[in-house]
Amino acid sequence: MWRDHLTEIIVFTLLFLLVSAMGFVAARWRAPRDMAYLDEWGLGGRSFGGWITWFLVGGDLYTAYTFVAVPALIFGAGAAGFFAVPYTIVIYPLVFLVLCRLWSVSHRHGFVTPADFVRNRFDSPILALLVAITGIVATMPYIALQLVGIEAVLKTMGVTGDSALARHLPIIIAFAILAAYTYQSGLRAPALIAFVKDSLIYIVILVAVIYLPYKLGGWGDIFDAADAKFKASPAPGDGILLNANNQLQYVTLAFGSALALFLYPHSITGVLASKNRDVIKRNMSALPAYSLLLGLIALLGYMAIAAGVKPLPGAKAGSVDGNTVVPLLFDSQFPDWFAGVAYAAIGIGALVPAAIMSIAAANLFTRNIYKEYLKRDASPAQEANVSKITSLVVKVGAVACIVFLDPQFSIDLQLIGGVIILQTLPAVALGLYTRWFHRGALIAGWVAGMGLGMWMLYQVANPATGKKHFAGSAFPLEKFGFDTPKTIYVGIVAVLVNLAVAALLTLVLRAAKVADGVDGTTPDDYFADEGDPRVTPGTERDADAAPEPVA
């Protein structure tokens, strides 16, 4: 009953209202005289310095879903869940190599989305459209999954109901507030809220990893309890050590996830909001601190085993909701007021990435679908308004996914999203370094990679849940004819086929002397920095004519 959690509900509500107020105030924080430009509303005026970018990008990549799902995976599957730690370490050198160049060329030409860059680089509106649609489709389930974290907290506090409306009403209200201040403040809202969100998460996790081992008898007892649970399982998996059959899946999933993460539109949006290249370089050096935090968050799964946590029932009869493991751990081991702070950290942790993701998806629609195909002469103000409205539609769609779909299906959609977004790697990431690929070959590669990826995902079943298709991203190699029980991450296979098709067809098209368009960039565009004039302002203002921010 919710009355048993009254203190937790009060603390959660007060902190949630605090950050909501900050979201509305953000419209006047570092604001220009005119918000009727897409780079002001959707990129914060490209003016964020080191600290703001660190919290924004970090808060964007480490979400509420991460806070509850990574420990839940380790609670249920063991060592395989730690794949999230190496992939968040691998990502930063990759981002350093790629996104500094993307920032420079975007600053020089006024690009707001990665599809803008692809359109200009390869002179192909079709390829840009594919990149834009891919980004939007891959981002939508990611936004929906932020609601899974909030829902787990609300369920733990007893804030649920029998009907679908009663059960989801708190989430609908929370996202209505989020939609309102995002519409008003744009990217400045999540940038300001990220300070509070990340501070809360750091405090909660550091207290947990110091206090809980002391209360539970030490790390030795925690690992012994986890080891005993996995050995006693009727279907033994990894345990606290990685199973030999899962090592290939572990490595390819970690590397593939790293490649996918910096291709997501919301990751790129946070980086493009930086004011210069040095900000990005410093952040790529400092952001691994979040990986340390993620490793500590993951250990909460083993602590929950030692504490005897029993997940709450799931939506289906006889199922359990693993996402409630962390909230239940805090509920059982900490005073009510601190549990309320932890719940607020999870809830607020959903707001920052959800806001950035909806803005990124809206920017893609506005610049690469609306302006390219529906209204070529759209004014800057019209672009900004369309993006605001689209961000609202995206949030409504995310809420609908949670209300009308099984949350487990949403999780499966997110795994599919990683495979989908990887297919933009040749055009976006490699395109920043080379123009060698033919635009027609890149389109064919995208089709081949996407087609193979969807076929492989369709073949993935999960006997534990009864799903026969699209039940994960671990593809059994035996379906390729190999005599082995090992699995491999679908995304890696699909993007390798994508690259192979793109490379081979490029040779064919170049030999046939098929026209390849005009590259709209120059080599020095990829090293431009703050203060360099833009050569193609387009619908954006020239950098020298931008209004000064209001103090």
Side-chain angles (χ1 to χ4, degrees):
M1 290 293 293
W2 65 268
R3 293 182 180 84
D4 298 330
H5 301 275
L6 188 58
T7 301
E8 298 166 359
I9 293 173
I10 291 173
V11 173
F12 174 88
T13 303
L14 289 176
L15 288 172
F16 193 92
L17 292 176
L18 171 64
V19 299
S20 298
M22 292 176 63
F24 288 106
V25 170
R28 292 181 290 179
W29 173 62
R30 303 171 61 91
R33 294 189 180 94
D34 189 356
M35 284 280 281
Y37 289 90
L38 193 55
D39 62 341
E40 288 292 352
W41 181 84
L43 291 180
R46 307 177 192 262
S47 64
F48 294 158
W51 278 106
I52 298 174
T53 302
W54 190 77
F55 280 104
L56 181 66
V57 176
D60 186 15
L61 301 183
Y62 297 88
T63 68
Y65 178 64
T66 301
F67 204 119
V68 299
V70 171
L73 181 58
I74 289 175
F75 177 89
F82 282 103
F83 84 92
V85 178
Y87 101 66
T88 57
I89 296 172
V90 169
I91 185 176
Y92 298 113
L94 297 174
V95 171
F96 187 93
L97 291 171
V98 173
L99 293 192
C100 284
R101 295 173 69 90
L102 181 59
W103 182 92
S104 291
V105 71
S106 298
H107 168 78
R108 177 67 66 85
H109 289 268
F111 300 151
V112 176
T113 70
D116 283 348
F117 160 72
V118 170
R119 172 71 170 86
N120 196 275
R121 175 69 150 163
F122 295 100
D123 194 16
S124 174
I126 296 177
L127 183 59
L129 177 64
L130 291 177
V131 171
I133 293 175
T134 302
I136 294 171
V137 171
T139 301
M140 281 295 293
Y142 220 147
I143 301 173
L145 283 179
Q146 304 315 307
L147 297 174
V148 173
I150 299 179
E151 192 167 53
V153 166
L154 296 175
K155 185 184 293 187
T156 304
M157 292 190 297
V159 185
T160 57
D162 296 330
S163 67
L165 178 61
R167 186 166 64 253
H168 296 295
L169 184 60
I171 291 178
I172 295 172
I173 294 173
F175 255 55
I177 296 173
L178 168 67
Y181 65 65
T182 303
Y183 183 92
Q184 176 178 320
S185 305
L187 194 64
R188 288 174 172 82
L192 186 58
I193 294 172
F195 285 96
V196 177
K197 173 248 185 185
D198 290 355
S199 299
L200 282 176
I201 288 180
Y202 262 102
I203 291 171
V204 169
I205 295 304
L206 291 177
V207 169
V209 297
I210 293 172
Y211 174 73
L212 287 178
Y214 167 78
K215 187 173 182 181
L216 297 173
W219 286 108
D221 287 352
I222 291 172
F223 280 98
D224 287 344
D227 190 41
K229 175 197 171 183
F230 292 121
K231 285 181 177 178
S233 172
D238 288 322
I240 61 173
L241 296 177
L242 195 64
N243 188 307
N245 289 332
N246 289 337
Q247 290 175 1
L248 179 63
Q249 167 69 15
Y250 184 94
V251 171
T252 54
L253 178 58
F255 185 63
S257 298
L259 293 176
L261 190 58
F262 79 86
L263 291 169
Y264 273 107
H266 56 276
S267 302
I268 293 174
T269 295
V271 171
L272 294 186
S274 305
K275 68 179 181 180
N276 57 44
R277 286 171 62 97
D278 285 342
V279 167
I280 301 172
K281 293 176 181 178
R282 289 195 300 269
N283 271 275
M284 293 311 107
S285 300
L287 278 169
Y290 274 98
S291 298
L292 170 63
L293 183 65
L294 180 59
L296 299 177
I297 291 173
L299 290 172
L300 293 176
Y302 287 161
M303 295 181 200
I305 294 173
V309 170
K310 304 295 182 185
L312 293 175
K316 292 182 178 179
S319 67
V320 296
D321 185 356
N323 292 316
T324 58
V325 166
V326 169
L328 288 171
L329 175 65
F330 283 101
D331 183 56
S332 64
Q333 301 296 318
F334 285 101
D336 289 349
W337 68 269
F338 189 80
V341 173
Y343 296 162
I346 298 173
I348 296 168
L351 300 184
V352 172
I356 303 172
M357 291 170 190
S358 65
I359 290 170
N363 289 347
L364 282 168
F365 174 82
T366 300
R367 288 300 292 264
N368 308 114
I369 298 177
Y370 174 77
K371 183 173 177 61
E372 182 75 39
Y373 294 97
L374 301 179
K375 191 173 177 59
R376 287 183 176 273
D377 60 345
S379 67
Q382 287 174 324
E383 282 189 355
N385 286 332
V386 168
S387 199
K388 290 178 180 180
I389 294 170
T390 304
S391 74
L392 298 179
V393 175
V394 168
K395 293 184 185 72
V396 171
V399 173
C401 286
I402 293 297
V403 173
F404 298 109
L405 296 179
D406 180 358
Q408 180 59 46
F409 183 62
S410 297
I411 294 171
D412 294 337
L413 282 178
Q414 195 274 331
L415 293 173
I416 296 170
V419 176
I420 291 173
I421 200 66
L422 264 176
Q423 306 317 309
T424 65
L425 185 143
V428 177
L430 297 185
L432 288 164
Y433 277 89
T434 178
R435 182 61 166 72
W436 180 79
F437 287 102
H438 192 284
R439 58 185 181 180
L442 287 171
I443 294 172
W446 181 93
V447 172
M450 196 68 71
L452 177 63
M454 291 301 102
W455 176 83
M456 292 175 69
L457 289 167
Y458 181 81
Q459 301 297 319
V460 177
N462 187 344
T465 61
K467 291 194 66 174
K468 297 181 179 180
H469 307 290
F470 297 106
S473 58
F475 185 81
L477 286 177
E478 61 184 16
K479 291 185 179 292
F480 278 147
F482 294 97
D483 184 18
T484 176
K486 294 183 179 180
T487 58
I488 190 170
Y489 177 52
V490 172
I492 285 291
V493 179
V495 77
L496 287 176
V497 169
N498 183 338
L499 285 167
V501 171
L504 291 173
L505 195 55
T506 292
L507 295 175
V508 173
L509 293 175
R510 296 219 183 282
K513 297 183 179 180
V514 176
D516 194 19
V518 179
D519 184 359
T521 68
T522 60
D524 65 313
D525 287 345
Y526 299 92
F527 300 95
D529 207 344
E530 183 182 20
D532 291 348
R534 294 182 183 167
V535 292
T536 313
T539 59
E540 306 296 335
R541 294 152 298 157
D542 185 84
D544 296 332
E548 293 296 322
V550 178

